[in-house]
Amino acid sequence: MKLQDAVILVTGGAHRVGKSISMTLAAEKARVAFTYNSSNEAAARTLAELQALGVDALAVRCDQSDQAQIHQTIEQTLKHFGRLDGLVNSASIWQDKPFLETTAEDWETTLAINTRGPFFFTQAAARVMLAREGGSIVNIVDGSAFTPVQMGVHHGISKTGLWMLTRSSALALAPKIRVNAVSPGPVLIPQGWSEERWQSLAESIPLKRLGTPEDVARAVVYLMKEDFITGQTICVDGGSTNMG
């Protein structure tokens, strides 16, 4: 798949890892649409930075727990660009909740955004891509999909669901659409962490260093381009998953 002039939709593409994915795709001369929910200022900055690279870009506000807004996002993307060639399901929520304090509302919110939202974005985008020459989809999971965690158990289960969605939709949508995933490791300091705690994490990683959002973005670009890979997950974590 050639990225130059391709139209790629990145959910949650206004900040953090999602922004790096948006910017890296733009550097490949792709035209980028991205969604945001409450990050208005970040969305405006990201849109301006994308346009400064000389590519056509679009920011769409979307709460992906609402299926109607997902369909509206696809419609707005098609209205602006006239086509859709790729999708990156990057939008996510993290709730740092102890097991015994996790509520039904926590479950509903997390699954709606981390698992159900990507499903319906994939479904809506696939209908558009299948009517044309096909496309490529990349989902962003994380290590909690493969390694048990004590905090945020519902988050890990939601990401395991997204990992299985990757494998299942790769089968369901072949041969015209490829679906893969990237699983980032420590590439951004978590909210509430001190810099000292963050830097000390490097010692537990086989490669003995922390990653960057750009590491993740390059893996996304690779999976977008390579047309003989589907149903696979690349762990961009310095070897951490291999220790599990």
Side-chain angles (χ1 to χ4, degrees):
M1 178 177 174
K2 294 181 179 179
L3 290 182
Q4 184 168 353
D5 294 325
V7 176
I8 313 295
L9 172 61
V10 182
T11 70
H15 62 111
R16 295 178 68 81
V17 170
K19 177 178 180 178
S20 292
I21 294 170
S22 296
M23 299 301 297
T24 303
L25 288 167
E28 295 279 333
K29 303 304 181 183
R31 293 177 286 172
V32 178
F34 67 89
T35 69
Y36 67 99
N37 189 6
S38 58
S39 306
N40 297 338
E41 293 182 3
R45 288 193 299 270
T46 299
L47 181 61
E49 291 177 35
L50 288 168
Q51 292 170 337
L53 291 176
V55 301
D56 193 3
L58 175 70
V60 183
R61 186 168 188 172
C62 176
D63 175 0
Q64 67 180 45
S65 66
D66 182 349
Q67 189 178 353
Q69 292 189 42
I70 290 174
H71 287 290
Q72 290 167 6
T73 298
I74 298 295
E75 290 172 2
Q76 287 180 254
T77 302
L78 288 175
K79 182 178 180 180
H80 184 91
F81 296 102
R83 60 184 294 156
L84 179 62
D85 304 294
L87 168 69
V88 181
N89 279 307
S90 178
S92 183
I93 186 173
W94 162 257
Q95 295 173 319
D96 195 23
K97 287 294 215 47
F99 187 92
L100 295 179
E101 296 177 18
T102 304
T103 67
E105 183 179 7
D106 295 332
W107 268 99
E108 291 168 5
T109 299
T110 296
L111 288 175
I113 294 174
N114 292 359
T115 313
R116 193 180 70 202
F119 173 87
F120 285 112
F121 256 118
T122 297
Q123 185 185 70
R127 286 175 174 147
V128 174
M129 295 177 192
L130 289 171
R132 297 176 56 86
E133 56 267 29
S136 179
I137 297 171
V138 179
N139 298 319
I140 306 300
V141 298
D142 62 43
S144 67
F146 315 111
T147 304
V149 294
Q150 293 185 8
M151 298 287 286
V153 170
H154 57 311
H155 174 88
I157 294 171
S158 75
K159 288 295 187 176
T160 301
L162 182 57
W163 173 68
M164 184 54 69
L165 172 63
T166 301
R167 302 180 70 194
S168 298
S169 56
L171 290 175
L173 301 176
K176 293 187 72 174
I177 298 174
R178 295 181 301 103
V179 188
N180 293 289
V182 174
S183 178
V187 298
L188 270 178
I189 184 170
Q191 294 181 354
W193 279 41
S194 66
E195 184 65 26
E196 181 181 7
R197 180 185 179 189
W198 173 239
Q199 293 300 327
S200 68
L201 185 60
E203 288 303 310
S204 66
I205 299 171
L207 292 185
K208 300 301 180 185
R209 65 179 178 85
L210 301 169
T212 68
E214 289 71 29
D215 293 326
V216 179
R218 286 193 297 272
V220 170
V221 167
Y222 171 77
L223 290 173
M224 278 281 170
K225 286 181 173 181
E226 294 300 319
D227 61 7
F228 199 53
I229 301 175
T230 195
Q232 304 304 308
T233 300
I234 294 179
C235 295
V236 183
D237 60 5
S240 299
T241 302
N242 194 44
M243 298 172 63

